[in-house]
């Protein structure tokens, strides 16, 4: 398909230490769903990290990003909006139990999970149930906004029982169907 932007191809073709600069625009279609860093220590950044000019839009066909191969703090996503993701758990971002990527200046909005974590979900090692970052994983979020996401069960914005670091972040307008305790 000519003229279709994909952010997955440069990620898949990269190696540790690479910087991938995404041009402004909307990234839609099959090459922009369930994007996997494959454990690489890379920086994926918007060309301009001011504003929300790079949009990853899975068009309600899948989640945006899938971290499951020991991504650490040097696996960085910066200046990207993830919207219209939809999955069973983690509408925008799914993290396995040993992943600890870094997110800077990201906007996570208007995503949906039929289960838990409308915006963000991470798995408990061995259980596949919940968002529990183990002692190996400590995802970091800096200057991010998690807005207007929805979960069919728990955690409209974020579903977690484990340690996450949120610095200067906004969580607002997220909803869930489960009853409050």
């Amino acid at each position: 398909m000519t003229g279709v932007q994909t952010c997955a191809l440069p990620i898949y073709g990269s190696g540790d230490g690479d910087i991938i600069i995404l041009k402004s625009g909307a990234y839609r279609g099959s090459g922009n769903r369930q994007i996997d860093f494959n454990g690489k220590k890379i920086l994926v950044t918007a060309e301009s990290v001011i504003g929300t000019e790079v949009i990853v839009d899975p068009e309600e066909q899948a989640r945006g990003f899938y971290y499951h191969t020991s991504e650490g703090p040097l696996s960085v996503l910066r200046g990207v909006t993830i919207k219209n993701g939809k999955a069973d758990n983690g509408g925008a971002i799914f993290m396995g139990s040993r992943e600890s990527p870094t997110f800077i200046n990201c906007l996570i909005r208007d995503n949906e999970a039929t289960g838990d974590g409308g915006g963000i979900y991470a798995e408990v090692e061995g259980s596949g149930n919940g968002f529990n970052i183990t002692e190996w994983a400590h995802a970091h979020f800096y200057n991010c906004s998690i807005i207007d996401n929805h979960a069919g069960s728990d955690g409209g914005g974020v579903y977690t029982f484990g340690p996450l670091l949120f610095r200067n972040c906004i969580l607002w307008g997220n909803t869930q169907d489960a009853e409050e305790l």
Side-chain angles (χ1 to χ4, degrees):
M1 289 193 265
T2 58
V4 175
Q5 296 186 96
T6 178
C7 54
L9 287 176
I11 291 171
Y12 299 152
S14 69
D16 285 347
D18 284 351
I19 298 173
I20 298 162
I21 299 172
L22 301 175
K23 300 236 182 251
S24 295
Y27 292 78
R28 295 183 178 98
S30 61
N32 299 296
R33 301 177 186 140
Q34 196 96 346
I35 300 165
D36 187 346
F37 273 45
N38 289 311
K40 296 174 184 170
K41 298 171 186 147
I42 57 175
L43 168 62
V44 177
T45 184
E47 188 173 35
S48 169
V49 294
I50 299 170
T52 54
E53 298 168 358
V54 171
I55 301 168
V56 173
D57 181 353
E59 303 173 298
E60 298 182 358
Q61 301 297 308
R63 70 181 49 91
F65 287 85
Y66 181 47
Y67 297 92
H68 65 110
T69 47
S70 300
E71 287 84 4
L74 296 178
S75 298
V76 180
L77 184 66
R78 182 174 71 184
V80 174
T81 295
I82 308 165
K83 70 178 226 172
N84 297 326
K86 186 172 184 179
D88 52 352
N89 294 309
I93 298 168
F94 178 97
M95 288 180 279
S97 62
R98 294 184 182 229
E99 283 55 61
S100 53
T102 301
F103 302 88
I104 303 168
N105 297 335
C106 290
L107 173 59
I108 300 162
R109 69 168 304 136
D110 300 317
N111 299 285
E112 181 179 357
T114 55
D116 299 319
I120 301 164
Y121 174 96
E123 188 172 65
V124 175
E125 185 171 307
S127 77
N129 183 10
F131 187 121
N132 186 4
I133 304 291
T134 66
E135 65 269 17
W136 299 284
H138 305 306
H140 293 86
F141 295 83
Y142 301 100
N143 303 317
C144 294
S145 296
I146 303 164
I147 300 172
D148 292 332
N149 299 287
H150 179 77
S153 188
D154 289 314
V158 178
Y159 189 65
T160 180
F161 288 109
L164 287 177
L165 174 67
F166 289 94
R167 291 232 168 115
N168 199 32
C169 293
I170 297 169
L171 284 85
W172 173 67
N174 299 292
T175 58
Q176 65 186 31
D177 288 343
E179 291 183 28
E180 302 270 335
L181 294 177

